[in-house]
Amino acid sequence: MAFFEKRYFVFFLFLLGIFSPLFLRAQTDETTADTTQSVDTTSVYYFTGSLDSLKIGALHYVDTTITTFNQYAPTEQHNRMYNTLSNVGLASINRVFTPYTPIGYSLRSKVFSPFMCYNDQVRYYKLKRPMTDLQYVMGPKREQTLGVTFSRKMSKLFTFGLHLYLVNSPGSYLNSKSDDKYTYFTSRYHTANNRYAIIANYLYNKVITEENGGILYDSLFSQNLEKDRQAIPVYLNTAQNKVKASGFYIEQYFNLMKPGMRKDSTQRTLAGGSVFYSFLYQRNQMVYTDDAGVDTLFYQDFPTVFDTLNTYDSVYQQLIRNRFMWSSLAYNDDKLSHIFRAHFGVTFDHILQTLPYDSIRYFNNQLIPFGGIALKLFNRSFLNATADMVFGGYNTGDLKIDGSLLQYLGSMTKNVGQLYFRVVFQNKTPEWYFTHYQSNRFNWNLNLDKERIFSFTGEYRYKTVKAGVNFISLGNYTYFNDSVFPQQTSSPGSVMKIYTEGTIPLHYFGINLRAVYQSTSMPSALHLPAFTGKMNLFFKKWIFKGAAHLQTGVQLSYFTQYYADAYMPELRAFYLQHERKIGDYLYLDLYATMKIKSLRFFLQGKNMLGFVEKNKKYYSTPGYPAADGGFYLGISWKLYN
């Protein structure tokens, strides 16, 4: 970035974000439709996870705008900021520190989760007309992404849907191909009076990624000595990861009172409500393979234990979950339901797990009582609180308490913004792979203390912009050290994040941004970039007499230099390293996006400075160069019939 000082760019981007609510308030109410995100008459909404989300009105709008439509990869959508491995669809890690806080046993692949779908992410659509959404993106080196969504009412009371997502990219470097896919089928039925409803889904994930361990000689890339990326040698030539996750889910509710019986009586409200029951079956398999006799240089500090010729590490997990819940909500036709709701229940998990080269089957039974309340005060304050605790099994004694407050500064319809506060306390057992693991090269059996996490968030929101601070206190923080061995911090530490994000309309122009400043008191255990940000400067206008909506712009991404975590393919995990820094490079993308009725498409040139930089500095992870400059074409077409 020789053409201007990087520190000025960082300073400008962060200040712009911090003061963006003031800029936004300064805009007049005469902002035209060129810069606002208008809602289509064919609006489609969906809920995820549970029928309880539908009952409380936690619906999400299917975005059909073009402001960030060019961000097609899951690691980039909604201004996400991840470190990746040279190719879309490979392992990744969030540059913004976000502790893993779900309650109970860990059954997700962290590094591949952006390209996978789990039960609580399955979408159930609420729509009036049948919808089909076709998405396709093509890029350099035969990179392809395909998405298909279909949902329609088969009858007045029954809705069917399906979703398919595919990523296939051979990659620029040797042994770096990704082949990721997931699909799910959904159904939803409710009676005419809404006293009974049921949802069900079948879900299948399959991720196959070649693992090259990074390039062998950095100088071939950084000095651009070898322009043919396929000619640059890599550490691993035969390694591969395969991750599968599949299963089905059924949930139903029954309102205890008939329609019309529940008025304003508190007694009837507490005696009524609804009961929920759900059943989840999930099966996971994670397999790592490589020719141990060939790929020895990368693993020279980790000698093989079981097989010196080939590595075949297979982990199998099976979950059977039964969940019972009572909720005070039923038909939501009384006054009390709009100002107060409560729920409580219990989850029973039966988990089976096997490890590589181990004939023992590990069983884990856990009982998780949970509950929560939500309160609306004076039509401007919203309080939510939940609590979960685990009894029995691996996670026994784990506890999570989560509370939040949303305060309108004025009324809901007329205000000068909202204040949002959230407090989370969690006492949790480290993930299972930290305490006991066995593979061809990595073996340990440890007694680790429970992690203690306290998080406080304070945030100001105004229209499409928000800015805030997040303080996280960490006790017994668990991580993989630079020897790729689990370790816990001996003393408490903390992370402070100051952030802002949103869209600022400026008549025909606009700015969409996200900026995060991070600071940690335990730099020996947690490496973070001090600053990471993404800014989209765009021009937007209706053309062809209002028949098409055009947006052109430049997207800038940047993070300060730091010792980013390295990647260990056999563990499918990132670990601490102190040898190589990455960052301090400006990623510049140019794009044009157009929307014609329900058709959207974009043409994008990514990492344009990569075409002209003599010294290549763009690494996405130590040892893994980011993608070179290239051009991408994407299309999305929603059909309503």
Side-chain angles (χ1 to χ4, degrees):
M1 238 170 86
F3 54 94
F4 67 89
E5 291 287 346
K6 290 176 286 293
R7 62 178 181 269
Y8 294 146
F9 168 73
V10 173
F11 183 70
F12 165 74
L13 182 57
F14 195 68
L15 283 184
L16 180 63
I18 291 296
F19 292 105
S20 57
L22 299 179
F23 295 150
L24 191 61
R25 287 192 58 193
Q27 301 300 308
T28 67
D29 292 333
E30 297 176 356
T31 303
T32 67
D34 289 305
T35 54
T36 58
Q37 297 184 352
S38 57
V39 178
D40 289 352
T41 56
T42 52
S43 297
V44 176
Y45 296 86
Y46 66 90
F47 66 94
T48 60
S50 170
L51 280 167
D52 189 51
S53 299
L54 178 62
K55 272 185 171 288
I56 66 176
L59 299 177
H60 306 275
Y61 169 61
V62 176
D63 185 18
T64 59
T65 61
I66 56 176
T67 303
T68 58
F69 177 56
N70 61 300
Q71 298 175 356
Y72 72 95
T75 51
E76 299 177 349
Q77 291 171 356
H78 311 296
N79 288 327
R80 293 173 181 150
M81 296 178 286
Y82 280 74
N83 288 351
T84 58
L85 303 184
S86 301
N87 191 17
V88 65
L90 301 183
S92 60
I93 184 173
N94 199 340
R95 283 198 299 273
V96 179
F97 179 71
T98 308
Y100 187 74
T101 60
I103 195 77
Y105 203 76
S106 175
L107 290 162
R108 298 195 180 195
S109 173
K110 285 187 178 180
V111 299
F112 296 119
S113 59
F115 296 92
M116 300 180 70
C117 182
Y118 291 94
N119 181 65
D120 60 352
Q121 299 170 315
V122 172
R123 296 183 176 186
Y124 303 88
Y125 288 89
K126 186 177 181 181
L127 67 172
K128 296 182 179 180
R129 300 169 59 187
M131 180 200 71
T132 302
D133 186 8
L134 306 175
Q135 298 184 25
Y136 179 75
V137 179
M138 61 183 299
K141 309 296 181 182
R142 304 194 307 278
E143 175 186 331
Q144 298 181 85
T145 300
L146 174 67
V148 179
T149 301
F150 170 79
S151 183
R152 72 167 295 158
K153 284 189 173 184
M154 310 304 290
S155 69
K156 186 177 180 180
L157 306 177
F158 179 75
T159 304
F160 171 80
L162 67 87
H163 181 78
L164 171 68
Y165 179 78
L166 306 173
V167 174
N168 187 283
S169 180
S172 299
Y173 296 86
L174 294 171
N175 203 44
S176 64
K177 180 181 178 179
S178 64
D179 184 9
D180 307 344
K181 58 179 70 70
Y182 68 79
T183 185
Y184 59 77
F185 300 87
T186 64
S187 61
R188 178 166 65 96
Y189 170 81
H190 63 89
T191 57
N193 60 6
N194 285 315
R195 191 178 187 186
Y196 172 81
I198 183 172
I199 59 173
N201 75 64
Y202 170 77
L203 174 63
Y204 178 80
N205 292 269
K206 186 176 181 180
V207 171
I208 301 177
T209 61
E210 295 178 343
E211 304 281 8
N212 64 22
I215 60 176
L216 194 57
Y217 306 109
D218 282 341
S219 60
L220 293 180
F221 169 75
S222 60
Q223 299 177 27
N224 205 24
L225 300 178
E226 178 57 71
K227 293 180 172 57
D228 182 4
R229 303 310 188 206
Q230 288 285 314
I232 298 178
V234 297
Y235 278 98
L236 304 175
N237 293 281
T238 63
Q240 182 186 88
N241 261 310
K242 180 186 295 184
V243 178
K244 292 182 180 180
S246 62
F248 63 91
Y249 177 75
I250 300 173
E251 182 188 27
Q252 49 195 330
Y253 77 72
F254 180 76
N255 293 332
L256 296 177
M257 286 187 173
K258 294 181 179 180
M261 291 182 61
R262 184 172 161 183
K263 304 296 183 182
D264 296 332
S265 169
T266 303
Q267 184 177 1
R268 287 187 177 181
T269 297
L270 297 178
S274 53
V275 289
F276 292 74
Y277 168 72
S278 64
F279 176 85
L280 171 66
Y281 174 80
Q282 181 179 328
R283 182 174 60 183
N284 300 338
Q285 186 178 20
M286 294 165 281
V287 180
Y288 173 80
T289 60
D290 73 59
D291 187 338
V294 174
D295 295 334
T296 55
L297 183 61
F298 182 81
Y299 292 111
Q300 59 184 345
D301 296 327
F302 310 97
T304 56
V305 176
F306 296 99
D307 192 336
T308 59
L309 298 179
N310 295 284
T311 294
Y312 185 88
D313 292 348
S314 177
V315 177
Y316 177 80
Q317 296 174 320
Q318 178 181 285
L319 167 68
I320 297 176
R321 171 174 293 168
N322 288 276
R323 182 174 181 264
F324 301 87
M325 186 182 77
W326 174 86
S327 171
S328 63
L329 295 182
Y331 304 99
N332 303 342
D333 57 355
D334 59 289
K335 294 181 180 179
L336 186 59
S337 295
H338 294 282
I339 61 175
F340 173 81
R341 68 176 184 269
H343 72 273
F344 62 83
V346 62
T347 299
F348 179 76
D349 287 349
H350 172 75
I351 301 163
L352 163 68
Q353 178 168 291
T354 61
L355 295 177
Y357 307 98
D358 191 345
S359 59
I360 299 177
R361 305 172 76 190
Y362 296 92
F363 292 95
N364 188 27
N365 295 315
Q366 299 186 153
L367 194 68
I368 309 175
F370 62 90
I373 62 170
L375 188 62
K376 179 180 178 182
L377 299 172
F378 311 113
N379 207 32
R380 63 183 62 183
S381 302
F382 298 84
L383 175 67
N384 286 273
T386 61
D388 305 74
M389 191 169 185
V390 182
F391 292 92
Y394 177 81
N395 298 93
T396 186
D398 285 9
L399 172 68
K400 181 179 180 181
I401 301 174
D402 190 341
S404 64
L405 172 67
L406 178 64
Q407 175 67 53
Y408 280 83
L409 302 178
S411 66
M412 291 180 61
T413 56
K414 187 176 182 181
N415 59 74
V416 292
Q418 307 101 44
L419 293 177
Y420 174 76
F421 302 97
R422 185 183 182 190
V423 176
V424 178
F425 169 77
Q426 187 166 14
N427 204 37
K428 66 185 290 284
T429 306
E431 278 72 46
W432 58 270
Y433 47 80
F434 284 122
T435 60
H436 176 62
Y437 196 75
Q438 177 175 290
S439 71
N440 201 24
R441 296 185 178 91
F442 299 94
N443 296 270
W444 53 76
N445 193 2
L446 306 173
N447 291 318
L448 300 176
D449 296 324
K450 287 187 180 294
E451 295 181 287
R452 298 186 303 274
I453 302 173
F454 173 80
S455 173
F456 170 79
T457 301
E459 187 175 279
Y460 173 70
R461 302 172 178 176
Y462 185 76
K463 292 186 178 180
T464 59
V465 176
K466 60 183 179 182
V469 59
N470 179 210
F471 173 80
I472 305 171
S473 174
L474 301 166
N476 299 322
Y477 174 68
T478 311
Y479 61 99
F480 285 112
N481 61 22
D482 53 8
S483 299
V484 200
F485 194 81
Q487 184 172 332
Q488 288 190 310
T489 54
S490 57
S491 59
S494 63
V495 175
M496 176 72 77
K497 296 188 294 185
I498 304 174
Y499 61 91
T500 187
E501 60 182 281
T503 301
I504 308 170
L506 302 168
H507 198 53
Y508 289 116
F509 297 89
I511 302 173
N512 175 268
L513 64 89
R514 184 187 180 201
V516 182
Y517 168 79
Q518 303 177 106
S519 176
T520 178
S521 66
M522 45 185 193
S524 61
L526 183 61
H527 294 169
L528 300 170
F531 174 85
T532 181
K534 183 177 290 186
M535 181 167 62
N536 178 7
L537 306 171
F538 60 85
F539 169 84
K540 187 184 290 188
K541 184 175 177 58
W542 289 95
I543 59 175
F544 302 135
K545 298 181 179 180
H549 206 183
L550 173 68
Q551 177 178 311
T552 60
V554 54
Q555 181 172 278
L556 307 173
S557 303
Y558 177 84
F559 60 93
T560 52
Q561 204 172 54
Y562 76 114
Y563 290 106
D565 288 354
Y567 178 63
M568 177 53 65
E570 185 165 333
L571 295 176
R572 294 171 294 275
F574 287 83
Y575 66 94
L576 212 63
Q577 62 89 26
H578 304 84
E579 298 179 355
R580 288 186 284 186
K581 287 186 176 182
I582 67 170
D584 195 29
Y585 176 82
L586 182 67
Y587 294 87
L588 186 149
D589 305 336
L590 301 176
Y591 70 91
T593 305
M594 184 177 292
K595 179 179 179 181
I596 305 174
K597 294 186 177 181
S598 62
L599 174 67
R600 295 180 295 169
F601 58 91
F602 72 82
L603 177 63
Q604 180 172 216
K606 299 192 68 174
N607 192 16
M608 301 302 288
L609 296 181
F611 287 110
V612 297
E613 290 275 359
K614 293 183 179 180
N615 295 321
K616 309 295 184 180
K617 297 173 53 181
Y618 42 93
Y619 283 86
S620 55
T621 292
Y624 294 86
D628 292 314
F631 294 93
Y632 298 77
L633 175 65
I635 184 171
S636 172
W637 193 5
K638 283 184 169 59
L639 305 174
Y640 304 93
N641 49 41

